[in-house]
Amino acid sequence: MTVKNRAVNEAGRLRMPPHPCPTCGAPCVVRTSEQQTALSRLFYLRCTNAICGWAGTGVFEITATISPPSRFYQDSGNTPPEISGCAEAAVLAELAKSQGELL
């Protein structure tokens, strides 16, 4: 029986670098994950060291745009803010918008 090499990147499969266990330093594996928002994902981690057995959560978040999308991409309204002073202004505008919707 052959064993599948999970270290090989597959199309559609997210590859994350190994996360060290905060307790023992051994690598942690992502057991599952959930999409929280369009820009963030919650990961459930477990230590590979059987003696340690640590489990926890982590968050992957997209915070800024380094390179804008191609000019041929039509829907650029979902692009995160570029790295500059406008990132804070965009967050404050989004907070004001969401607070206005709650009222």
Side-chain angles (χ1 to χ4, degrees), residues 78-92:
N78 295 333
T79 305
E82 293 189 22
I83 295 180
S84 66
C86 64
E88 183 178 21
V91 169
L92 292 175

Side-chain angles (χ1 to χ4, degrees), residues 24-63:
C24 70
C28 287
V29 293
V30 176
R31 302 299 295 170
T32 186
S33 66
E34 299 172 355
Q35 188 81 27
Q36 298 294 302
T37 67
L39 301 177
S40 67
R41 191 163 190 86
L42 178 68
F43 290 97
Y44 294 91
L45 305 161
R46 182 168 303 278
C47 181
T48 56
N49 181 353
I51 297 171
C52 173
W54 178 86
T57 61
V59 176
F60 176 78
E61 182 179 21
I62 298 172
T63 57

